[in-house]
Amino acid sequence: MEIRVDDLTDRVVVAFLDDHIADLRITSPPESTHTLDLDALRSPAVTVWTAWEGEKLVGCCALAALDARHAELKSMRTTPRRIRSGIASVLLTFVVDEARLRRYRRLSLETGSMDDFEPARKLYAKHGFEYCAPFGDYVDDPNSVFMTKAL
């Protein structure tokens, strides 16, 4: 698998991210969907990586700077046909390592509290993330769970 920084201009990547947003909107009410759109993902404060197996896009993740010491994991997605095949673990390890290289002290994330998100929460916990209070601009939301990891 090759993981590379992405400029979000490839139509395959754009469609992949559009599907990500559409899937989240199915399981989360609009006020609880905290995904970044393409313009927000193109912000200088955000880096997006895509994972490829040959010519096939199999996953993505992003790192958004909250401040000089704290970053947020965004846009974690594995292609549906490859869920639970280890791609998410590889991407998560990659982004945690990248956050350390950038000298962040903390990496946090928001994910859903519903059953559909249980595998994601288990993955994050397996990688050392712990439940926490809302961070950044987030507020308490019964549909959201917040997790963080000291780096």
Side-chain angles (χ1 to χ4, degrees):
M1 179 175 9
E2 177 189 2
I3 300 172
R4 58 186 182 226
V5 172
D6 204 290
D7 65 6
L8 307 177
T9 58
D10 185 318
R11 63 188 177 124
V12 171
V13 173
V14 170
F16 188 81
L17 289 165
D18 285 345
D19 288 346
H20 176 59
I21 292 170
D23 287 348
L24 291 173
R25 288 191 174 141
I26 290 169
T27 56
S28 301
E31 68 275 7
S32 297
T33 303
H34 303 289
T35 186
L36 298 178
D37 64 19
L38 280 175
D39 287 337
L41 287 169
R42 289 181 178 129
S43 161
V46 179
T47 304
V48 177
W49 291 274
T50 50
W52 299 82
E53 289 181 340
E55 298 296 315
K56 294 187 187 244
L57 176 59
V58 295
C60 67
C61 62
L63 186 65
L66 298 174
D67 61 42
R69 304 179 100 183
H70 191 186
E72 181 179 3
L73 175 68
K74 298 295 291 183
S75 300
M76 277 286 294
R77 179 173 175 83
T78 300
T79 188
R81 68 183 179 281
R82 294 295 306 279
I83 289 175
R84 293 175 189 69
S85 68
I87 292 167
S89 286
V90 170
L91 282 168
L92 186 55
T93 299
F94 176 88
V95 78
V96 167
D97 290 346
E98 184 64 29
R100 283 189 177 111
L101 285 172
R102 294 180 183 198
R103 301 190 185 276
Y104 289 113
R105 303 261 183 190
R106 179 159 302 282
L107 181 60
S108 300
L109 62 92
E110 177 276 337
T111 191
S113 63
M114 295 74 83
D115 290 345
D116 288 346
F117 296 93
E118 183 178 1
R121 293 190 305 270
K122 285 182 177 180
L123 172 73
Y124 299 135
K126 178 180 168 186
H127 284 264
F129 285 82
E130 299 175 344
Y131 292 96
C132 66
F135 59 90
D137 294 333
Y138 292 107
V139 296
D140 277 323
D141 179 345
N143 297 302
S144 289
V145 169
F146 305 94
M147 301 180 82
T148 194
K149 176 182 177 92
L151 302 175

